[in-house]
Amino acid sequence: MTTTESDAAPYTSTEPAGQLLRYARTSTGHQHLDQQHDALTAAGVVADRLYSDQLSGTTTKELRPGLAALLTYARPGDTIIVVGIDRLGRTAAEVMTTIADLLAQGIVIRSLREGVDSSTATGRAVFGVMASMAELELELGRERRAAAKAARKARGKPIGRPRKLNADQIALAHRMRASGEPVPVIAETLNVSKPTLYRVLATSEAMSA
């Protein structure tokens, strides 16, 4: 989901009972937060309640300190204002999940570009659909993982974390590799995944160097 911060239009609604909080995020380290800050300031949010992240290539909240701090600080009745809904995540699924979490906590979400506000009936309907989509995606994900687990079990393949190799198996892997056996064959022989075998071989070679 990509948008341009300059597309945001002024948006007003009935003032909430809680605090006005704002969050800004750039998609890459080469972008600047100034445009988002200006639009959010114009919406009436004081500067000391601004949270922001400027980074790229990550989707985990733990690696976005600005969003993590905002979600920790926000309380029921507060309003989080963003220039666009896409600022709440790097992917559609992440955006919807964040929206679902905020709505469940009674926190109002206001997006300037889309002109939606969860304190209004229309806004709640729009955000409610997004939250429902997040729940559906989570449920589908659980079903896919369960189906994959059942398929692996039916084929007699290992389930869960990759098993570790002992010293004799590692030595056998090296001998098979030295004799020209391809990695897929070695991995199948030792009942481990190819990434696990590559990692074991690389680690043991580095230790013996």
Side-chain angles (χ1 to χ4, degrees):
M1 299 177 64
T2 56
T3 53
T4 303
E5 284 75 13
S6 59
D7 293 339
Y11 178 74
T12 59
S13 69
T14 302
E15 288 302 313
Q19 296 191 68
L20 287 175
L21 312 172
R22 56 178 172 167
Y23 176 69
R25 177 185 63 79
T26 59
S27 299
T28 72
H30 300 293
Q31 295 179 351
H32 298 285
L33 294 167
D34 294 348
Q35 289 179 316
Q36 292 182 58
H37 289 179
D38 292 344
L40 292 167
T41 299
V45 189
V46 296
D48 61 347
R49 289 294 175 247
L50 166 66
Y51 299 83
S52 62
D53 289 306
Q54 188 166 8
L55 50 117
S56 62
T58 181
T59 60
T60 58
K61 294 175 183 175
E62 290 77 6
L63 298 180
R64 285 189 282 140
L67 180 60
L70 170 62
L71 298 181
T72 299
Y73 181 85
R75 295 292 183 269
D78 288 348
T79 297
I80 293 178
I81 305 177
V82 291
V83 168
I85 293 175
D86 63 320
R87 298 301 86 189
L88 292 173
R90 292 275 295 177
T91 65
E94 186 180 347
V95 169
M96 291 185 293
T97 299
T98 300
I99 288 173
D101 291 343
L102 293 173
L103 293 180
Q105 297 177 54
I107 297 171
V108 176
I109 310 167
R110 185 189 301 174
S111 176
L112 304 183
R113 182 179 300 115
E114 289 82 6
V116 289
D117 185 331
S118 66
S119 68
T120 68
T122 300
R124 283 192 297 273
V126 172
F127 284 121
V129 171
M130 293 182 180
S132 296
M133 292 299 295
E135 293 179 3
L136 175 61
E137 179 61 28
L138 290 173
E139 181 60 30
L140 291 176
R142 284 191 290 266
E143 292 180 358
R144 286 193 294 267
R145 289 190 294 272
K149 183 177 179 180
R152 292 185 66 84
K153 184 177 180 179
R155 290 172 172 78
K157 294 184 177 181
I159 300 173
R161 295 176 63 85
R163 61 191 296 268
K164 295 182 179 180
L165 299 179
N166 58 37
D168 291 338
Q169 290 172 318
I170 294 175
L172 174 59
H174 279 289
R175 290 196 299 271
M176 293 179 69
R177 188 65 173 152
S179 66
E181 290 288 353
V183 167
V185 173
I186 303 173
E188 184 175 357
T189 301
L190 298 176
N191 196 27
V192 295
S193 66
K194 289 184 287 184
T196 296
L197 181 60
Y198 278 120
R199 184 171 60 253
V200 168
L201 292 174
T203 301
S204 59
E205 288 173 356
M207 293 178 62
S208 61

